[in-house]
Amino acid sequence: MAALGLTLNRMVLRPLRRLTQLAGAMARGEYGARMDAGRSDEIGVLADGFNRMAATVQDHTSTLESRVRDRTEALAATNRAIMDSINYAQLIQSAILPSAGTLSAGLTEHFVLWRPRDVVSGDFYLCREVEDGFVVAVADCTGHGVPGAFMTMTASAILNNVLDQLGAADPAAVLAAVDRKVRAALHQEEEARGGADCFDNGLDLGLCHIRPAAGKLVFAGARIPLLVVAEGGVDGSVTELRGNRRSLGYRPSAFHATGRAPVGGGAESPFTNHSVALRPGQTFLMSTDGLVDQNGGERGRSFGRIRLHELLSQGAHTPLDRLKTDVESSLDRFQCGREQRDDITLFGFRVRLTDAVAVSSTGSGRRAA
């Protein structure tokens, strides 16, 4: 019995245990495992079949890994080419934004918080001199990323063209002209564009015409408000001049996907001008909705206008670079690592007043007191 047990262990049980071990090694990815197949009995046939199977699996795995490496390298090369193009597009988009020298020409202080959701942005801002002062604008175009960036190039060119033709004295008329030209440029009034080829694009725009010599600012907005922070007491007071509740562009009969009012029927309705007397210590800000709509906090709610107004009120007396830092820090803490939902732009500025306007404003303020 002992001799029979030893023979059974050597001839059957040991090869089966070895076969089980090799099968486990293959399951772990060790495809080079092989079993001695010098026998002609059933165990030899089983070992030979196992070796052929292992060789086939190893060959297929090697071929698959080679193909995966090739595809991965091809995808990496394609991704590098795409990112190179997008990064170059960012340089082109940055070229349409005003330089620091242009911003400083008529502004005592300024800051721009510009955070594209992707590399390129669907937001842009403008500051340019005109005959009797200068113009400041903030725009939020449809989409973000590459589609939004294409829209910024189109909208910026149209806005500058309208300012060249009409001037900046009537911001409401400028918005109406941009509205017509955007719809015409994108052929959004053509019914033939129905079905799958139909698209609906436009922008929100806030526009300020500033006349430092006259001590006057005129604002008109298409769904972008102007915030005016005036010094007073420990904190400042924040006044919001709301823009009209309609965007520029978009098809006349379309509703915006976010629930905005339809532009049909009121496409020719004028926008509203708001006039503000310039006084020392005022801070003006325009923002796209990406800032107040950013979700965060413990409950994932939006940043909100109230939170923004509180920050601006507390920073009424501080330099604008410090105010920008405070807003950024508050946004980062609130966002708490969450993904940015939309492009964010906040443009803040203080106007450089002439001596006559500054003295006049101070004197009228004293008489009023």
Side-chain angles (χ1 to χ4, degrees):
M1 291 295 293
L4 179 61
L6 291 174
T7 303
L8 180 63
N9 180 67
R10 182 175 63 83
M11 300 296 294
V12 178
L13 298 181
R14 189 183 299 172
L16 290 178
R17 283 196 298 269
R18 176 60 178 164
L19 186 61
T20 302
Q21 293 172 355
L22 294 177
M26 285 191 61
R28 295 191 298 270
E30 301 174 10
Y31 302 116
R34 296 291 186 274
M35 186 173 179
D36 295 336
R39 297 166 53 172
S40 58
D41 56 3
E42 288 79 0
I43 298 296
V45 173
L46 182 62
D48 185 62
F50 175 84
N51 290 340
R52 287 198 302 270
M53 178 190 71
T56 302
V57 170
Q58 185 177 25
D59 180 64
H60 288 178
T61 302
S62 177
T63 301
L64 180 61
E65 289 177 348
S66 176
R67 290 178 179 176
V68 168
R69 282 194 300 270
D70 293 342
R71 296 290 176 86
T72 301
E73 292 175 359
L75 288 174
T78 302
N79 183 66
R80 285 193 298 270
I82 292 173
M83 290 307 302
D84 288 344
S85 297
I86 293 177
N87 289 330
Y88 192 72
Q90 182 188 36
L91 296 177
I92 297 174
Q93 185 181 45
S94 298
I96 73 170
L97 301 177
S99 64
T102 301
L103 292 172
S104 301
L107 304 176
T108 305
E109 296 180 77
H110 68 272
F111 77 85
V112 181
L113 174 57
W114 192 61
R115 286 188 178 183
R117 198 198 80 161
D118 304 309
V119 180
V120 288
S121 175
D123 293 355
F124 73 93
Y125 54 95
L126 176 143
C127 181
R128 56 172 282 184
E129 293 187 21
V130 291
E131 183 176 356
D132 54 349
F134 58 98
V135 171
V136 172
V138 169
D140 180 1
C141 298
T142 304
H144 37 72
V146 174
F150 271 105
M151 275 297 301
T152 64
M153 304 298 289
T154 302
S156 176
I158 290 175
L159 176 57
N160 280 288
N161 177 261
V162 170
L163 290 172
D164 291 338
Q165 293 181 350
L166 300 183
D170 188 351
V174 172
L175 295 188
V178 172
D179 182 31
R180 293 190 298 269
K181 287 181 176 290
V182 168
R183 284 188 279 117
L186 300 179
H187 308 288
Q188 296 191 150
E189 294 184 343
E190 296 182 9
E191 296 297 332
R193 282 188 170 273
D197 294 334
C198 181
F199 66 98
D200 188 25
N201 291 302
L203 68 151
D204 299 340
L205 177 64
L207 183 69
C208 293
H209 177 220
I210 305 168
R211 298 168 58 195
K216 183 179 180 181
L217 179 150
V218 181
F219 163 76
R223 299 192 67 88
I224 287 185
L226 174 68
L227 303 179
V228 184
V229 184
E231 293 181 348
V234 178
D235 296 333
S237 61
V238 180
T239 302
E240 180 175 338
L241 303 179
R242 295 192 175 185
N244 292 82
R245 294 185 59 81
R246 60 181 296 264
S247 301
L248 309 181
Y250 299 104
R251 291 180 290 114
S253 59
F255 287 82
H256 193 274
T258 58
R260 295 173 180 174
V263 245
E268 301 302 325
S269 62
F271 291 88
T272 304
N273 284 325
H274 302 269
S275 182
V276 179
L278 297 177
R279 301 183 184 279
Q282 287 175 317
T283 304
F284 300 94
L285 302 105
M286 288 186 288
S287 172
T288 59
D289 58 8
L291 175 57
V292 296
D293 290 346
Q294 177 60 48
N295 62 319
E298 294 181 357
R299 301 183 179 181
R301 295 181 177 177
S302 61
F303 190 81
R305 297 182 183 277
I306 295 177
R307 193 188 310 270
L308 177 61
H309 288 191
E310 290 176 351
L311 286 170
L312 300 180
S313 176
Q314 295 167 5
H317 304 278
T318 62
L320 289 190
D321 56 352
R322 171 67 181 276
L323 179 58
K324 175 185 177 181
T325 301
D326 292 343
V327 173
E328 283 187 305
S329 299
S330 178
L331 177 61
D332 291 337
R333 288 193 303 269
F334 178 81
Q335 191 171 344
C336 194
R338 284 183 171 86
E339 182 180 356
Q340 184 173 323
R341 295 180 57 181
D342 197 2
D343 301 315
I344 294 175
T345 301
L346 175 63
F347 191 161
F349 61 93
R350 291 170 180 162
V351 180
R352 180 179 292 110
L353 300 177
T354 62
D355 293 338
V357 171
V359 171
S360 174
S361 299
T362 303
S364 62
R366 288 175 179 172
R367 287 193 296 273

